[in-house]
């Protein structure tokens, strides 16, 4: 998505209407965000890829900005959201998964995006949903609309001979790994993911269309790699973990330099994690393994004899928006008690703006508007960034981006918001 939030004062004045759309007009919306996000497909291929997901949830959540000054009205902007059941610190709750956001390149910097975002937030609030989440193509844009980067993930690469586990890694002789086409093991994949999703903050429950998307293996998705395969590790009581991956044959003058590209890997026990890594690292002809989506606290780096040999890059993944600040802060559990007044600014959701007295404990909080002087002043995107317990407010304080009126407030609030487990989504939606 391109940036249109800084309005160009020299741009000609044009009128547009933000409204909902339907299945017939969706092709025009797809054309807009396909062009703005530089998608390589033609419109027919794009629709073929997108319609199964959108058709399953309906098109009533798709917003379009329509330029009505043309001889024929033209869709110039779009914003969509999926209805997710995502795991938050308080458990599984409804979350608006924002996606499909774009502005036609000739209509940037005229306020189109701002109009779409403002309307979308109002619609989400009207549905009683307290959170919105997204993956940002350009993070600087979404911060202005109240989204904070709440989750970082790892892109890790391992090359032989360093792709091996330490001798004392937990290995269970009763575990068995099978390698099959994903369709043959889909029930096992779904069972493991459901177990993980129930407790891992940032994951959303996968419906059938989302599993279809995850396992889709067309030529465009596969590229120059072999077909997608599923490795499932099981014990006496059933499946405990899986890895979805593709291999790629490569040969150099000194022999095989094959690669394994892991699309997704997860497990419910330490021994299951170790079994999956052993399987990947022992593939014949494979000398390099790529893990583009790993949680920041993934066991892999702890299981390596020399963790410095893993080429790991942290990157921002899930961005979170508190659509209902009081509701989100009230239902969230806290790691330690906290009491203080936090002054919140929120340009695009004014119902959140004000001074909020927060009295929190391990089972939730009481959050009420007050006229008392604030202990801390910040923007709503700072709260979104800190809400999942990985990003600290201390970093914003040291950068001079939040104001602490009462010394120690940020440290106390960071302690209360902290979680020992890293959030993880792993799916760009």
């Amino acid at each position: 998505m391109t940036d249109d939030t800084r309005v160009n004062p020299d741009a000609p004045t044009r009128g547009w209407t933000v409204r909902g759309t339907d299945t017939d007009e969706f092709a025009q919306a797809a054309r807009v965000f396909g062009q703005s996000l530089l998608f390589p497909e033609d419109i027919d291929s794009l629709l073929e890829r997108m319609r199964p997901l959108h058709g399953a949830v309906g098109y009533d959540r798709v917003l379009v900005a329509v330029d009505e000054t043309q001889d024929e009205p033209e869709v110039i902007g779009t914003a969509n959201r999926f209805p997710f059941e995502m795991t938050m610190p308080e458990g599984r709750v409804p979350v608006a998964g924002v996606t499909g956001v774009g502005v036609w390149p000739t209509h940037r910097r005229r306020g189109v995006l701002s109009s779409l975002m403002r309307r979308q937030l109002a619609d989400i609030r009207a549905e009683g949903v307290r959170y919105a989440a997204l993956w940002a193509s350009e993070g600087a844009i979404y911060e202005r609309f109240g989204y904070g980067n709440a989750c970082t993930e790892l892109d890790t690469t391992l090359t032989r001979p360093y792709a091996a586990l330490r001798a004392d890694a937990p290995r269970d002789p009763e575990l068995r790994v099978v390698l099959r086409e994903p369709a043959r093991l889909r029930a096992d994949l779904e069972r493991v993911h459901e177990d993980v999703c129930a407790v891992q903050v940032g994951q959303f429950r996968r419906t059938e269309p989302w599993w279809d998307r995850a396992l889709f293996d067309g030529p465009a998705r596969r590229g120059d790699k072999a077909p997608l395969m599923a490795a499932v590790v099981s014990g006496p009581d059933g499946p405990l973990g899986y890895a979805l991956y593709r291999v790629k044959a490569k040969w150099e003058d000194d022999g095989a330099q094959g690669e394994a590209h892991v699309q997704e890997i997860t497990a419910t026990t330490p021994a299951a994690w170790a079994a999956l890594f052993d399987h990947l690292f022992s593939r014949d002809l494979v000398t390099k393994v790529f893990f583009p989506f790993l949680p920041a606290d993934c066991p892999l780096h702890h299981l390596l004899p020399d963790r410095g040999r893993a080429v790991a890059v942290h990157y921002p993944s899930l961005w979170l928006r508190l659509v209902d600040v009081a509701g989100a802060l009230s239902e969230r559990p806290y790691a330690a008690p906290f009491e203080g007044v936090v002054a919140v600014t929120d340009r695009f959701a004014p119902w959140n703006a004000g001074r909020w007295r927060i009295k929190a404990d391990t089972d939730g909080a009481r959050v009420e508007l007050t006229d008392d002087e604030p202990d801390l002043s910040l923007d709503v995107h700072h709260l979104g960034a800190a809400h999942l317990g990985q990003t600290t407010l201390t970093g914003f304080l040291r950068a001079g981006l939040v104001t602490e009126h009462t010394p120690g407030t940020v440290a106390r609030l960071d302690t209360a918001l902290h979680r020992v487990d890293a959030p993880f989504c792993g799916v760009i939606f």
Side-chain angles (χ1 to χ4, degrees):
M1 185 194 68
T2 49
D3 185 356
D4 81 327
T5 58
R6 291 172 292 184
V7 177
N8 180 1
D10 298 321
T13 301
R14 292 189 178 274
W16 63 81
T17 300
V18 174
R19 58 168 172 77
T21 188
D22 55 27
T23 181
D24 295 330
E25 194 177 51
F26 182 71
Q28 296 183 48
R31 172 176 173 265
V32 170
F33 62 74
Q35 185 63 227
S36 65
L37 292 176
L38 311 182
F39 286 169
E41 303 108 311
D42 58 49
I43 187 61
D44 291 334
S45 300
L46 184 60
L47 288 171
E48 182 181 6
R49 176 165 65 88
M50 302 193 69
R51 286 233 185 248
L53 273 177
H54 291 77
V57 299
Y59 295 88
D60 57 322
R61 293 175 178 84
V62 181
L63 294 175
V64 292
V66 181
D67 186 346
E68 297 177 332
T69 65
Q70 311 284 342
D71 292 336
E72 182 176 338
E74 177 187 9
V75 175
I76 58 170
T78 178
N80 187 20
R81 66 188 191 278
F82 290 120
F84 286 153
E85 187 179 355
M86 184 177 281
T87 303
M88 291 283 115
E90 63 270 25
R92 282 175 165 164
V93 297
V95 172
V98 175
T99 185
V101 179
V103 175
W104 193 248
T106 58
H107 287 69
R108 295 173 58 250
R109 299 185 64 189
R110 301 182 186 182
V112 176
L113 180 58
S114 296
S115 298
L116 285 163
M117 292 288 96
R118 201 181 302 275
R119 165 67 183 272
Q120 186 181 68
L121 285 170
D123 288 351
I124 294 170
R125 183 196 186 207
E127 292 177 355
V129 177
R130 294 176 171 174
Y131 301 97
L134 54 80
W135 288 65
S137 55
E138 295 181 71
I141 299 173
Y142 288 102
E143 192 172 275
R144 297 179 192 140
F145 300 117
Y147 289 84
N149 179 218
C151 179
T152 58
E153 299 181 12
L154 289 179
D155 183 337
T156 299
T157 303
L158 271 171
T159 305
R160 284 186 180 174
Y162 310 111
L165 303 187
R166 52 191 295 159
D168 59 349
R171 293 179 171 93
D172 184 346
E174 291 192 355
L175 299 187
R176 174 173 174 259
V177 177
V178 297
L179 183 66
R180 302 281 188 273
E181 292 75 14
R184 298 174 60 186
L185 297 174
R186 179 159 170 165
D188 290 343
L189 303 176
E190 292 182 2
R191 176 176 167 182
V192 171
H193 188 270
E194 175 64 17
D195 289 343
V196 173
C197 174
V199 296
Q200 189 165 49
V201 169
Q203 293 264 17
F204 63 89
R205 176 173 271 157
R206 287 187 190 167
T207 59
E208 184 174 343
W210 279 102
W211 272 110
D212 292 342
R213 181 192 179 197
L215 302 181
F216 175 72
D217 196 34
R221 184 88 173 268
R222 187 183 307 165
D224 59 353
K225 305 176 189 68
L228 185 68
M229 296 296 287
V232 172
V233 56
S234 299
D237 297 325
L240 298 171
Y242 67 82
L244 294 171
Y245 70 99
R246 297 177 177 86
V247 293
K248 178 179 178 179
K250 289 182 69 175
W251 297 88
E252 304 292 347
D253 291 342
D254 58 348
Q257 299 291 324
E259 300 171 351
H261 294 256
V262 181
Q263 174 178 305
E264 190 174 320
I265 183 170
T266 193
T268 58
T269 68
W273 277 107
L276 290 171
F277 292 135
D278 277 337
H279 166 77
L280 291 165
F281 297 158
S282 65
R283 285 291 308 255
D284 290 338
L285 310 181
V286 171
T287 62
K288 186 174 288 189
V289 184
F290 297 89
F291 299 91
F293 296 99
L294 290 178
D297 59 357
C298 178
L300 174 61
H301 295 82
H302 298 280
L303 291 171
L304 298 174
D306 184 356
R307 60 190 302 173
R309 297 292 186 174
V311 180
V313 177
H314 288 259
Y315 62 90
S317 55
L318 201 66
W319 290 65
L320 189 67
R321 215 287 185 196
L322 305 189
V323 180
D324 175 359
V325 164
L329 294 178
S330 295
E331 64 188 7
R332 185 199 193 282
Y334 293 78
F338 172 83
E339 184 169 1
V341 176
V342 178
V344 179
T345 57
D346 194 334
R347 178 183 170 194
F348 283 84
W351 53 85
N352 286 327
R355 298 176 182 180
W356 298 95
R357 175 168 292 282
I358 303 170
K359 188 173 183 179
D361 213 326
T362 53
D363 58 352
R366 198 160 122 197
V367 183
E368 298 175 329
L369 285 170
T370 180
D371 292 326
D372 293 347
E373 291 299 311
D375 300 298
L376 173 66
S377 295
L378 43 62
D379 186 73
V380 69
H381 81 266
H382 298 124
L383 286 176
H387 195 75
L388 300 187
Q390 183 182 44
T391 304
T392 65
L393 293 171
T394 297
F396 295 115
L397 178 65
R398 289 175 176 171
L401 300 176
V402 304
T403 302
E404 186 180 61
H405 307 286
T406 302
T409 301
V410 167
R412 291 189 295 109
L413 186 52
D414 274 342
T415 300
L417 293 172
H418 177 68
R419 285 182 62 95
V420 296
D421 54 333
F424 178 70
C425 182
V427 176
I428 300 175
F429 49 82

